[in-house]
Amino acid sequence: MNTYQIIILLSYLCVTAFGYWLQFLNLSHLKRYGDIVPEEFKGYIDEGLLKKTRDYTLEHSRFGFIESIFDNIVVIIFFFGGLLNIYNSWVASFNLSFILWGILFFLILSFAKTVLSIPFDLYSTFRIENKYGFNTMTGKLWLTDFLKSILLSTILISIMSAAAFFLIKASPEYWWFFVWLFFLAFSLFMMYISPYVIEPLFNKFTPVEDEEMEGSIKDLMKKASIKVSRVFKMDASKRSKHTNAYFSGIGKVKRIVLYDTLLQIMNKNEILSVLAHEAGHWKKKHVLKMLVIIESLSFIGIYISFHIIKTGILGRLFDIQADTIFVNLILLGFIGGIVSFPLTPLFSYLSRRHEKEADKFAAEMTENPEAMATSLIKLSKDNLSNLYPHPLYASFYYSHPPVVKRIREIMGEEKYKRG
């Protein structure tokens, strides 16, 4: 291992260690405060349920730590133990055409990653989720989902790889721009067709049976000047008892999807508050803003990557025998993950800021902040969400503000100070 590899490895280990330290802080904070019922949750949860919430978070976190250790060992062996060099030379020995070579290179890696994750997914689903009363999935359904996911990922990776490597071959000097443009267009296309092609592969979507509810939802969306095609109920309960709701699609194919589990625990005003929050994201153009930021960074990243690949420096740094563009892309992805790690809290902050704006929009539009607050309480209660994340951990990783803080901001701090 040369000096540069050692520097890269140490950087990776530092990033990993910092993540583990944050996780340790988070779990320690939960152990310290996790048995205290927040003022906002009194009357909704008791100490027994709070203990269950704490245990669920701790068990998931500990298991996630074990999975992370395993993943990191695999990554280190792959990039620094010579496995990448062996794999790259093996695929190159097939003497395939450039495009087929690229497709096979990334497909095999995808399959390997999926296979390695199987034991962890099974344990999480059928042990932890089952233990805490969430899992409703059968072994047959898990296998069906797994096979569908494999088929779908194979098709998508093949299409994206084929198009990207065709562009690279067709335009050696400007492929970086055309590949970026293709990925942008493909992402928008997938957002457009997903509600009709992808989502129905895994779930059944039926119109909301309560006509009064559907009418109220459409009136709410009309008030927000948002046109939706339909309001659907999704059979989420066949896999899990977790609750949620979301907008799907873009443009004229936007539609609202409610988990059937959500409809079981919330009243009409609470459901309207949840959907008003989602409407707030559209009205505030949060999806568009994040897309612009991400695509701008992607544009810069792929441009820099193009020039790095041209130098051939990565192949020399990692002692790659067959220096191909495919192995360079893998190395760039790995190093890019290390370099971009400091951006994690920035993206988390932007996401939390958008969530806060959407909460405020929902409370103002429905003129019912109490319903917004109780909907968050019920979501947290039924999903056993951690009510006591460490502030530093939350600021680094949380895409949503901690739920207790969200409720206080919705209802107003003064109410709780007076209480």
Side-chain angles (χ1 to χ4, degrees):
M1 189 180 296
N2 59 49
T3 304
Y4 295 105
Q5 288 182 45
I6 293 174
I7 292 173
I8 295 171
L9 175 59
L10 289 176
S11 300
Y12 177 75
L13 292 175
C14 286
V15 166
T16 303
F18 181 73
Y20 289 156
W21 176 69
L22 287 178
Q23 188 179 42
F24 171 77
L25 285 181
N26 193 48
L27 295 183
S28 299
H29 194 261
L30 177 60
K31 290 177 181 178
R32 183 176 181 182
Y33 299 102
D35 58 349
I36 303 172
V37 179
E39 185 69 28
E40 299 78 13
F41 282 76
K42 288 182 178 179
Y44 291 94
I45 64 174
D46 54 25
E47 291 183 1
L49 184 60
L50 196 61
K51 181 181 183 301
K52 184 179 179 182
T53 298
R54 182 187 61 191
D55 293 344
Y56 177 70
T57 302
L58 290 172
E59 190 159 352
H60 252 302
S61 298
R62 288 165 179 162
F63 178 68
F65 176 76
I66 294 172
E67 183 178 8
S68 176
I69 290 289
F70 175 81
D71 289 343
N72 286 322
I73 291 173
V74 171
V75 166
I76 291 171
I77 292 174
F78 185 74
F79 285 102
F80 301 97
L83 189 57
L84 173 60
N85 199 10
I86 295 171
Y87 172 73
N88 183 57
S89 298
W90 175 66
V91 177
S93 68
F94 295 148
N95 293 319
L96 299 171
S97 67
F98 180 72
I99 294 176
L100 287 177
W101 185 359
I103 293 173
L104 183 65
F105 186 93
F106 287 97
L107 270 183
I108 294 175
L109 287 178
S110 175
F111 292 154
K113 187 176 186 300
T114 300
V115 170
L116 290 175
S117 70
I118 289 176
F120 298 100
D121 187 48
L122 288 173
Y123 187 88
S124 176
T125 301
F126 294 103
R127 177 70 177 99
I128 299 178
E129 292 294 296
N130 211 55
K131 178 180 177 180
Y132 291 91
F134 287 121
N135 180 52
T136 56
M137 182 181 287
T138 63
K140 180 180 179 181
L141 181 57
W142 183 91
L143 181 60
T144 302
D145 282 353
F146 176 78
L147 295 175
K148 287 180 182 178
S149 298
I150 287 288
L151 178 61
L152 183 62
S153 64
T154 299
I155 293 171
L156 293 179
I157 290 173
S158 298
I159 292 173
M160 295 176 70
S161 299
F165 296 129
F166 171 80
L167 292 171
I168 290 172
K169 187 175 182 180
S171 181
E173 292 300 318
Y174 298 100
W175 63 261
W176 59 273
F177 174 73
F178 294 117
V179 168
W180 171 81
L181 195 62
F182 167 74
F183 283 161
L184 171 60
F186 189 78
S187 297
L188 294 175
F189 175 71
M190 290 302 299
M191 290 175 66
Y192 189 85
I193 69 166
S194 180
Y196 300 108
V197 179
I198 307 299
E199 294 173 18
L201 292 174
F202 298 92
N203 289 97
K204 183 179 179 180
F205 297 85
T206 56
V208 171
E209 299 165 357
D210 189 335
E211 294 183 1
E212 181 183 352
M213 172 68 75
E214 185 176 23
S216 297
I217 292 173
K218 288 187 175 179
D219 289 341
L220 179 71
M221 293 302 110
K222 185 177 180 180
K223 185 178 179 181
S225 302
I226 296 177
K227 293 182 179 180
V228 293
S229 57
R230 296 295 300 272
V231 180
F232 289 93
K233 177 178 70 174
M234 188 181 84
D235 60 340
S237 59
K238 73 178 183 179
R239 290 183 177 82
S240 174
K241 292 181 181 179
H242 285 292
T243 56
N244 206 353
Y246 65 92
F247 267 79
S248 181
I250 57 174
K252 294 182 179 180
V253 299
K254 288 198 298 291
R255 63 180 186 174
I256 295 169
V257 178
L258 304 172
Y259 281 26
D260 55 357
T261 50
L262 184 82
L263 292 170
Q264 294 170 8
I265 67 166
M266 291 192 182
N267 61 42
K268 186 177 79 170
N269 288 334
E270 290 166 345
I271 292 172
L272 291 177
S273 295
V274 171
L275 295 177
H277 171 91
E278 297 300 327
H281 286 306
W282 282 100
K283 291 300 292 183
K284 299 294 183 179
K285 295 182 172 54
H286 293 157
V287 175
L288 177 61
K289 290 175 182 178
M290 290 303 292
L291 183 65
V292 169
I293 293 172
I294 291 171
E295 291 302 327
S296 298
L297 291 175
S298 298
F299 183 85
I300 296 170
I302 197 169
Y303 178 72
I304 294 173
S305 298
F306 166 72
H307 286 286
I308 292 176
I309 290 173
K310 282 184 68 175
T311 66
I313 189 172
L314 293 179
R316 295 193 296 272
L317 286 181
F318 282 83
D319 301 320
I320 302 298
Q321 295 175 355
D323 189 17
T324 67
I325 190 170
F326 315 119
V327 77
N328 274 269
L329 291 173
I330 289 293
L331 289 169
L332 280 168
F334 172 66
I335 296 173
I338 300 173
V339 173
S340 63
F341 181 74
L343 294 177
T344 302
L346 174 61
F347 278 100
S348 297
Y349 166 76
L350 291 174
S351 179
R352 289 194 304 273
R353 180 177 167 182
H354 290 166
E355 295 300 329
K356 184 178 179 179
E357 290 177 355
D359 282 346
K360 183 179 179 180
F361 178 90
E364 292 175 351
M365 188 173 72
T366 61
E367 299 178 351
N368 193 348
E370 291 84 2
M372 184 71 200
T374 55
S375 70
L376 290 173
I377 290 171
K378 288 183 178 180
L379 281 170
S380 300
K381 173 187 173 183
D382 280 68
N383 289 309
L384 297 181
S385 301
N386 180 12
L387 304 183
Y388 291 100
H390 190 279
L392 183 58
Y393 182 89
S395 66
F396 212 90
Y397 289 118
Y398 268 38
S399 61
H400 292 60
V403 65
V404 175
K405 183 178 180 181
R406 287 181 72 183
I407 293 170
R408 287 177 179 169
E409 289 182 346
I410 290 168
M411 297 301 296
E413 291 279 0
E414 290 304 317
K415 173 179 177 180
Y416 295 101
K417 288 177 182 177
R418 290 195 301 270

